[in-house]
Amino acid sequence: MRAVVTDAEVTLTDVLSVRLSIDEPIASGAQLILRHRVTTDERPVVLGTPGAEARDATLAVSLAPLTLIPGRWDVYLKQEGTPRTRLRSVDPGFSLDRLDTYALSRRTRAHRAYRTRNGFLALKVDEAEPAAEVRAVWFREGRFEVTGLLAFTGFDDDESRHEARLTLRRGHPDAELTTTATVQGVRFHAALSLCDVLAAAPEQPGTWEPSLEVDGLAAPLRLGSRLDDVDGKRRRLHYPAEEIDGVPIRPRYTADDELRIEVGG
């Protein structure tokens, strides 16, 4: 049987919804199998009879009971008497608006459906903890500025304002800078003078780690960028440096997509 995914998403209730283009109906007792790419652990789900037209089928699988561990899970379709088939996909599985909405709820696991580079359906599962998701970062008029949204905090996306502070910390030597940040609903904006950054540790190259403290949240939020389809930003995103008194300062991402400010070097 030929089956191609034309649309796939994980809903707000952590249900994997998959629309298939098929050339014959899915038989009763068929299974959707999720296979962890590293451990090869598998989670089979009996589909029953979708009752679909021979050209189209929609599957819905609740992910919460499957207790999927973090990592990438490949998706297979298995029908009785035939070998399992890895599901091909023509859907990029990406919508920034959809991911932003998904991140508004407080969660311990985040699930995302996507299409692999070679055209198959897969799931990406991550630990989810409150974070400051970066949407834009730039240097202008001698300032470092950053905007984004609060992810997995449970805050409402409304007009309410929350007291907040952006803090930059570095070690060797230890130094810290703090400035007031603006948080409205789940959107944040903060700016900090690059001259102040340089003055805090003059003639000392090093890396500063930003965090966002928001009233109502128990711990500071790390600034990073994970709610998109660009993995490995350290390799893919390269920002130009701003020079302050001849010292280059630039934003960059770590290997796990957390934001840093690099001074000197």
Side-chain angles (χ1 to χ4, degrees):
M1 180 186 76
R2 177 183 176 276
V4 177
V5 176
T6 58
D7 184 73
E9 69 165 314
V10 176
T11 69
L12 300 182
T13 56
D14 284 322
V15 172
L16 173 62
S17 176
V18 178
R19 180 172 292 276
L20 293 172
S21 173
I22 57 178
D23 55 8
E24 59 184 76
I26 295 177
S28 176
Q31 293 182 336
L32 196 72
I33 300 173
L34 304 179
R35 186 176 189 268
H36 194 273
R37 198 171 294 173
V38 175
T39 67
T40 69
D41 191 19
E42 293 187 353
R43 299 288 192 277
V45 180
V46 177
L47 298 176
T49 304
E53 298 289 337
R55 295 178 180 272
D56 194 33
T58 300
L59 311 177
V61 176
S62 179
L63 299 175
L66 302 180
T67 60
L68 303 177
I69 64 173
R72 298 178 188 269
W73 296 75
D74 296 313
V75 185
Y76 296 82
L77 182 64
K78 174 71 169 66
Q79 299 208 80
E80 187 174 351
T82 63
R84 69 173 65 181
T85 303
R86 191 175 175 191
L87 282 178
R88 288 200 167 273
S89 176
V90 296
D91 173 38
F94 174 73
S95 164
L96 188 57
D97 290 340
R98 196 182 281 175
L99 293 177
D100 284 357
T101 302
Y102 182 84
L104 293 180
S105 300
R106 189 184 293 274
R107 305 175 186 273
T108 58
R109 285 281 196 278
H111 306 85
R112 177 162 66 90
Y114 71 101
R115 185 182 62 189
T116 67
R117 292 182 181 179
N118 51 354
F120 293 99
L121 176 64
L123 276 178
K124 187 174 185 288
V125 181
D126 292 305
E127 300 280 5
E129 59 183 18
E133 177 72 14
V134 174
R135 280 289 177 259
V137 55
W138 63 92
F139 291 162
R140 62 182 178 186
E141 299 178 354
R143 297 183 301 172
F144 157 65
E145 293 193 48
V146 60
T147 62
L149 76 154
L150 308 183
F152 308 119
T153 62
F155 280 16
D156 293 326
D157 188 7
D158 55 21
E159 299 300 314
S160 60
R161 290 184 174 271
H162 307 274
E163 296 293 325
R165 296 153 298 283
L166 176 73
T167 299
L168 266 63
R169 295 183 178 89
R170 61 157 288 175
H172 311 298
D174 292 337
E176 180 175 305
L177 290 170
T178 300
T179 187
T180 300
T182 300
V183 174
Q184 182 171 316
V186 295
R187 314 290 164 173
F188 72 87
H189 171 267
L192 191 66
S193 167
L194 294 176
C195 291
D196 291 344
V197 174
L198 190 60
E203 300 180 0
Q204 292 286 344
T207 300
W208 295 77
E209 178 179 344
S211 63
L212 188 69
E213 298 177 50
V214 183
D215 287 359
L217 298 179
L221 306 179
R222 295 178 296 178
L223 271 69
S225 183
R226 297 186 176 93
L227 298 182
D228 56 28
D229 62 345
V230 183
D231 293 327
K233 293 179 179 64
R234 185 173 186 173
R235 302 186 311 273
R236 300 184 184 187
L237 293 182
H238 301 281
Y239 294 97
E242 179 88 355
E243 284 202 2
I244 303 295
D245 295 334
V247 179
I249 306 176
R250 76 174 75 234
R252 68 173 179 85
Y253 285 98
T254 67
D256 56 354
D257 292 335
E258 290 192 4
L259 183 65
R260 298 289 186 268
I261 305 300
E262 192 174 76
V263 179

